[in-house]
Amino acid sequence: MMPRTEVSASSGSIAVSGGVWPLTGRAEELALIADATADSNSGAGVVIAGAAGVGKTRLAREALDATRRRGRSGRWFVATNSARTVPLGVFAETVDSFGPDRLRRVQEVIDAVTRTDSPARVVIGIDDAHLLDEQSALVVHQLVQRRLATVVATVRTGEPVRDAVTALWKDELLPRLDLQPLSARETAALLECVLGGQVDSASADRVWHYTRGNALFLRQLLSDNLAAGWIIQRSGVWVWHCGPEISPTLTELVDSTIGRQSTAVTRVLDVLAVADQLESVVLADIAGPDAVDAAEVAGLITIDTDAGTQIARLAHPLFGEIRRARAGTMRLRHLRGRVAAALAIRDTEPDLIQTVRRAVLVLDSDVPPDPGLLMDASVAALKLMDPVVAERLAARAVQTGGGPAAQLIHVSALVNCDRLGDALDLNAELIRAASSDHDRVLRTIARAGILVRIGAADDAERLLDTIRDMVGACGLRRPFESVCAVLHAMRGRPQAAIDAATSALNNLGWLDDSSELLAVFGLVSGLGDLGRLDVLSSPAQHGYELARASLDAPMLRFFLGLHHLDALHLGGLISEANELAARLAQEPMDLPLARSVKALACGITAAAQGDFASARRWFREAMATGADLETPWLSGMAQVWLATAIAKTGDHQGAAIVLADQNRDFCPRLFSPQTALARAWVCAAGGVMSEAIVLVRAAAERAHDNGQAAVEVLCLQTAAQFGDLTVGARLTELAAIVQGPRVVAAAAHAVALRDRDGEGLLAASQSYVAFGDRVAAADAAAQAAVALRDIGRRGAAMTATAVARRLAAETGAETPALRVNAAPIPLTRRQREIIALAAAGLSNREIAERLVMSIRTVEGHLFRASQNTGASGRAALVTLLHGAPTKHERNRGTLVPADRPSQV
């Protein structure tokens, strides 16, 4: 029976309940066991060994059930600690009484357990065979050695086992299968199966981190955190946003693996529970070398020597959670102080990691905090891309007398934690407390940068205007121009962004790393909009290098990467965009904002090459992780990209529903053009091609007015994919000023479409394939097939159709061009559009109002379409073009208007 998710009416929490979980990631092991238990002379059985909770019992039961399904008799026995004290206790149920002769008793048990009506040997399952008493172990040994039964036994690794059981694999009577925990990928698959939906990749990684693939721990941890409300569903994606919640049940499970340990060993565990990891010599100084050795022998800690220095860690992350929960607060504070003092003695020249470790330990210890150490550690944590720790350290530094210097660090940490409202509040305090015009202007510039990040571009621009005349006298012209560059970039003014960035980077005067990075950000964004790919790489690389030194590195690195990625996508450098997205995904930062950017970047690159299955997962993940961010446009962008990806697969209704919830417009540079394209693709998926073309043309005109030549190229390419015959001349002009393979392919596509040149369209399709845009390639090939068919070249048309179908199958695309080629019905584009609106449930009057024509004109189009196709009326036309509508489709109502995407 599959598990189910239930919602408690009292708490609103969701809990997994039900029977046996699905068996995941064990196909290879099941195949090996099937061979070992086959009904033949060699199928004597198998011994399954593994740690507690790894899934030995489940696998053995599955193997036993499989043999029963093949018609063999099976018996299942479970050894226990209590039965271990009774001779043959595990087999007590098989016979009524035992005689006085031990050997006879053994034989009686053997006879009883092997009795079967089937000609095949009986299959005996022995769970926890390491707990068998001596005589029971002898029974099992005899069953195997004499080939009287097929035996499937489980044993726990690290536990003492009777000689008779050990001999099963040592004497090669049975193969031994050492069962490993589930991998991270297998754990994620199991989570999605149990929860019945997509799981955020970071959340899946976190679950695996805490459970290490132990199925027993996994089940209890999942149940606990669902019940606590820490694992929730957002945008159709399960996200673990808090916790972990460690219940008494899970504590007992983990404690059973730790076992009873001496006070000295427990002290070792407690030290590592507060320190996470520690040089073994430091651990020995604090807890004693004998205790460290005993903990390692017991398998409770590991000693890593790969880095040259011996590093001690807990063998399982849950050990630390349990020990911290069990130990008293004062004891933990004292231990942290001891470890911090030991590190201070040994680390005379600490690096960034050591500085942060010592400061974090001091923070929650009984040692008085040093504001200087806390500030140094906060800066180090920002450089290590851990702004959450940086914020804690900076806040404490402010509390303990760090003054304005600590407050400035605290603002940077808050910004990088996406706590932008708190950062603005603290920034306002700093502006009010400024003792000079220089400090006041500098902090006002920083405030404008935060406002741009929030999406309050108008407020940021007004604020910058108030200090524009003061920046020169204060020597702050360069940082001022840096923020202006970002503002222009985010408002879709590429040339202004480049000019401001160039001024900031090339003039004389003071410029810190953070401001220089902002200027680079504006420069990369502006160059990408203009399609200046030849000079894009150098400043982008310089920006990534700056990010390693800047206090704003954690998030500016991701935003720079996102704009760089968009520039590559616009230019058609899709393979380079894939590499950049992969690098961003490997960045260690694990905050929701970073995860949202990573997912968005991966989704954009997947969608760009037509991998819509992956793209939809990534965009939903970006929406789920970015739902509560104070940088609101990230989840909005993901939503728009998701709607576009869904529309390109032909799912008009699904795309319209996603787009209907989108009402954000905070980031025109990356947001508005893609919003227009999404609306156009939704219209196209519904067959309303005239509105789709109007939308992309309008977006192209806005891009032209803003000087966003590369954005204009993408809009006009989309128009060509929709069948617009008028964009060839403009794309040819753009090919002379925009760089990259996209504009070349799009210009060739549009010109060949205008000229109805089938061979030219096929060549354009190949150009799209060459740089990775397989959806555009499929559209061009489908249009080539139509053009070739129209001039009677049926063989060439079939070749083009084959290309289009192959690309459509690879991507899952179902675009208007592909639909027209798939159903070569003699209808004009306007007739197809009217029939599409009719299929959506609109009356003739509503269609006329929608397309701004008379009702008689609509009726005329429908009449001529019926004559050309032989269809008997409106309903038959709908069925001919779209298939028989479902009841839901008949009652659906309207399509999404171009100006009001919320109406579905």
Side-chain angles (χ1 to χ4, degrees):
M1 185 173 76
M2 290 289 291
R4 63 183 183 275
T5 54
E6 295 181 342
V7 180
S8 167
S10 59
S11 63
S13 63
I14 303 174
V16 175
S17 62
V20 178
W21 277 26
L23 189 63
T24 300
R26 298 301 189 197
E28 184 178 351
E29 289 86 348
L30 281 172
L32 291 172
I33 294 171
D35 289 341
T37 57
D39 186 18
S40 65
N41 290 333
S42 61
V46 64
V47 176
I48 305 172
V54 79
K56 304 181 298 298
T57 301
R58 175 68 189 284
L59 195 60
R61 278 195 170 278
E62 288 285 340
L64 190 63
D65 290 344
T67 61
R68 284 171 172 163
R69 288 193 294 269
R70 294 195 293 268
R72 299 175 66 182
S73 298
R75 305 287 297 274
W76 181 257
F77 300 97
V78 179
T80 62
N81 267 316
S82 56
R84 191 175 196 176
T85 61
V86 179
L88 297 171
V90 72
F91 299 113
E93 65 182 53
T94 60
V95 293
D96 295 333
S97 61
F98 292 123
D101 188 329
R102 291 185 178 182
L103 290 178
R104 185 171 181 82
R105 290 201 299 267
V106 169
Q107 186 58 48
E108 288 174 353
V109 170
I110 291 174
D111 292 341
V113 299
T114 58
R115 190 175 297 118
T116 177
D117 295 333
S118 171
R121 283 181 299 173
V122 68
V123 183
I124 305 295
I126 307 290
D127 195 26
D128 289 338
H130 55 281
L131 297 178
L132 291 174
D133 62 272
E134 288 187 4
Q135 292 189 42
S136 297
L138 177 59
V139 168
V140 174
H141 186 273
Q142 288 297 301
L143 290 172
V144 175
Q145 186 178 48
R146 294 161 59 186
R147 293 294 193 264
L148 300 174
T150 296
V151 173
V152 179
T154 71
V155 296
R156 182 182 298 181
T157 52
E159 295 287 339
V161 183
R162 301 288 183 184
D163 291 342
V165 175
T166 304
L168 295 178
W169 65 85
K170 283 193 173 181
D171 295 344
E172 298 184 353
L173 298 175
L174 292 182
R176 170 170 164 152
L177 174 61
D178 286 289
L179 195 61
Q180 301 302 314
L182 296 173
S183 67
R185 184 186 295 273
E186 291 162 348
T187 300
L190 179 57
L191 282 172
E192 294 197 345
C193 187
V194 169
L195 293 172
Q198 181 181 339
V199 176
D200 163 46
S201 57
S203 299
D205 289 343
R206 192 177 178 204
V207 170
W208 187 84
H209 166 76
Y210 278 109
T211 64
R212 288 295 194 267
N214 184 298
L216 188 62
F217 293 169
L218 172 61
R219 181 165 188 160
Q220 192 60 51
L221 185 73
L222 182 61
S223 178
D224 293 344
N225 286 273
L226 281 167
W230 301 146
I231 297 178
I232 60 175
Q233 200 170 28
R234 291 175 175 166
S235 302
V237 180
W238 290 96
V239 178
W240 189 4
H241 70 105
C242 269
E245 178 72 17
I246 307 296
S247 67
T249 303
L250 182 55
T251 299
E252 292 171 3
L253 288 173
V254 177
D255 270 348
S256 69
T257 66
I258 295 176
R260 294 180 178 273
Q261 301 295 334
S262 66
T263 302
V265 170
T266 300
R267 182 178 177 81
V268 172
L269 299 181
D270 289 347
V271 171
L272 288 178
V274 300
D276 185 40
Q277 64 180 39
L278 206 57
E279 291 81 353
S280 59
V281 291
V282 178
L283 180 61
D285 288 344
I286 297 173
D290 293 340
V292 173
D293 289 341
E296 184 181 12
V297 169
L300 302 177
I301 68 170
T302 60
I303 306 294
D304 181 11
T305 59
D306 291 342
T309 302
Q310 291 188 338
I311 303 295
R313 297 182 178 87
L314 291 171
H316 198 286
L318 285 177
F319 293 172
E321 296 291 334
I322 299 305
R323 291 310 307 166
R324 285 192 293 272
R326 289 269 172 115
T329 301
M330 296 305 297
R331 172 177 168 76
L332 292 177
R333 289 178 62 83
H334 176 69
L335 282 175
R336 291 188 184 101
R338 287 285 310 276
V339 175
L343 290 175
I345 294 172
R346 299 191 65 86
D347 297 335
T348 55
E349 296 182 3
D351 59 17
L352 295 178
I353 295 175
Q354 292 164 331
T355 299
V356 173
R357 286 174 61 198
R358 187 156 67 91
V360 169
L361 287 165
V362 168
L363 198 65
D364 296 318
S365 75
D366 55 5
V367 176
D370 172 13
L373 170 63
L374 295 175
M375 285 191 289
D376 290 344
S378 182
V379 172
L382 284 172
K383 292 180 178 180
L384 292 169
M385 301 186 72
D386 194 347
V388 172
V389 169
E391 192 278 326
R392 286 186 62 217
L393 294 167
R396 189 64 179 277
V398 171
Q399 294 171 1
T400 55
Q407 289 179 307
L408 289 171
I409 298 172
H410 194 199
V411 170
S412 291
L414 287 168
V415 168
N416 283 291
C417 288
D418 199 54
R419 292 173 53 185
L420 303 180
D422 293 339
L424 285 172
D425 291 343
L426 183 52
N427 170 267
E429 291 182 23
L430 287 167
I431 291 174
R432 287 193 295 269
S435 58
S436 65
D437 286 344
H438 177 279
D439 287 352
R440 187 175 301 107
V441 170
L442 182 59
R443 293 164 189 178
T444 301
I445 292 171
R447 184 175 190 82
I450 301 172
L451 290 171
V452 172
R453 167 83 169 271
I454 288 177
D458 290 341
D459 293 341
E461 197 151 17
R462 284 193 292 269
L463 187 62
L464 290 173
D465 285 340
T466 65
I467 59 171
R468 189 178 299 276
D469 296 335
M470 302 175 63
V471 294
C474 295
L476 297 173
R477 172 64 60 184
R478 295 180 75 189
F480 175 83
E481 294 286 6
S482 296
V483 175
C484 288
V486 175
L487 177 63
H488 291 315
M490 300 297 272
R491 305 209 77 168
R493 306 167 185 160
Q495 191 57 57
I498 293 172
D499 292 343
T502 302
S503 174
L505 294 171
N506 295 339
N507 288 332
L508 299 176
W510 177 81
L511 186 70
D512 63 334
D513 288 340
S514 297
S515 297
E516 187 175 1
L517 182 55
L518 289 174
V520 169
F521 176 93
L523 180 61
V524 168
S525 178
L527 291 172
D529 270 0
L530 293 180
R532 294 289 308 280
L533 300 181
D534 59 334
V535 291
L536 181 69
S537 177
S538 179
Q541 187 57 42
H542 179 55
Y544 297 132
E545 292 170 358
L546 279 172
R548 297 187 181 96
S550 168
L551 288 183
D552 296 313
M555 282 322 307
L556 274 180
R557 183 179 312 191
F558 289 103
F559 290 140
L560 173 62
L562 193 59
H563 281 250
H564 185 195
L565 180 84
D566 188 63
L568 296 173
H569 166 248
L570 288 173
L573 302 181
I574 291 180
S575 61
E576 289 88 340
N578 287 341
E579 294 172 3
L580 176 58
R583 290 198 301 273
L584 288 175
Q586 294 302 314
E587 294 286 359
M589 192 182 220
D590 193 35
L591 287 179
L593 183 59
R595 295 203 302 270
S596 187
V597 172
K598 291 177 185 181
L600 181 58
C602 291
I604 290 172
T605 56
Q609 54 197 334
D611 183 1
F612 294 126
S614 297
R616 281 181 289 190
R617 284 185 63 89
W618 284 120
F619 291 142
R620 290 195 184 279
E621 182 167 319
M623 291 167 59
T625 54
D628 297 329
L629 295 177
E630 294 185 39
T631 303
W633 49 267
L634 274 174
S635 60
M637 277 187 63
Q639 198 169 5
V640 167
W641 273 97
L642 175 62
T644 307
I646 294 173
K648 287 182 179 181
T649 65
D651 182 1
H652 165 256
Q653 187 178 15
I657 289 172
V658 171
L659 196 59
D661 293 333
Q662 186 277 315
N663 57 6
R664 295 168 179 167
D665 195 11
F666 296 117
C667 182
R669 161 64 180 79
L670 287 173
F671 201 60
S672 275
Q674 191 57 43
T675 302
L677 289 173
R679 291 175 178 170
W681 274 107
V682 170
C683 286
V688 191
M689 299 309 301
S690 62
E691 289 189 15
I693 291 174
V694 167
L695 281 168
V696 291
R697 281 182 183 170
E701 289 174 5
R702 285 194 298 272
H704 173 72
D705 293 342
N706 292 336
Q708 297 171 292
V711 176
E712 185 182 359
V713 168
L714 182 60
C715 294
L716 295 179
Q717 173 195 309
T718 305
Q721 289 177 250
F722 291 163
D724 188 345
L725 304 178
T726 68
V727 298
R730 177 55 183 163
L731 277 169
T732 301
E733 294 174 4
L734 289 169
I737 59 175
V738 174
Q739 296 168 339
R742 182 182 298 281
V743 67
V744 176
H749 177 189
V751 169
L753 182 69
R754 179 195 64 196
D755 298 341
R756 293 174 173 80
D757 177 5
E759 296 294 346
L761 286 165
L762 266 180
S765 174
Q766 293 169 359
S767 297
Y768 282 130
V769 169
F771 73 81
D773 191 340
R774 294 182 294 173
V775 176
D779 283 345
Q783 291 166 340
V786 173
L788 291 166
R789 192 181 299 115
D790 287 346
I791 60 175
R793 296 183 58 188
R794 297 181 60 84
M798 291 176 64
T799 300
T801 296
V803 172
R805 287 177 177 172
R806 174 178 57 80
L807 291 167
E810 290 176 359
T811 61
E814 186 183 326
T815 63
L818 290 168
R819 287 198 298 267
V820 168
N821 185 47
I825 302 170
L827 295 172
T828 67
R829 188 171 69 188
R830 179 62 86 182
Q831 288 166 354
R832 288 176 180 271
E833 188 170 34
I834 290 172
I835 295 169
L837 291 171
L842 274 69
S843 66
N844 287 356
R845 178 180 297 279
E846 290 169 328
I847 294 172
E849 292 174 355
R850 179 72 175 272
L851 299 181
V852 193
M853 59 177 60
S854 69
I855 299 176
R856 180 168 295 181
T857 301
V858 172
E859 293 170 345
H861 279 297
L862 291 172
F863 175 74
R864 286 188 293 275
S866 298
Q867 283 188 319
N868 291 339
T869 60
S872 57
R874 172 183 168 122
L877 282 171
V878 170
T879 302
L880 177 66
L881 196 59
H882 294 274
T886 65
K887 180 180 178 180
H888 176 70
E889 290 170 333
R890 288 195 297 271
N891 297 330
R892 186 169 60 201
T894 63
L895 294 172
V896 178
D899 58 339
R900 293 173 61 192
S902 62
Q903 293 186 9
V904 181

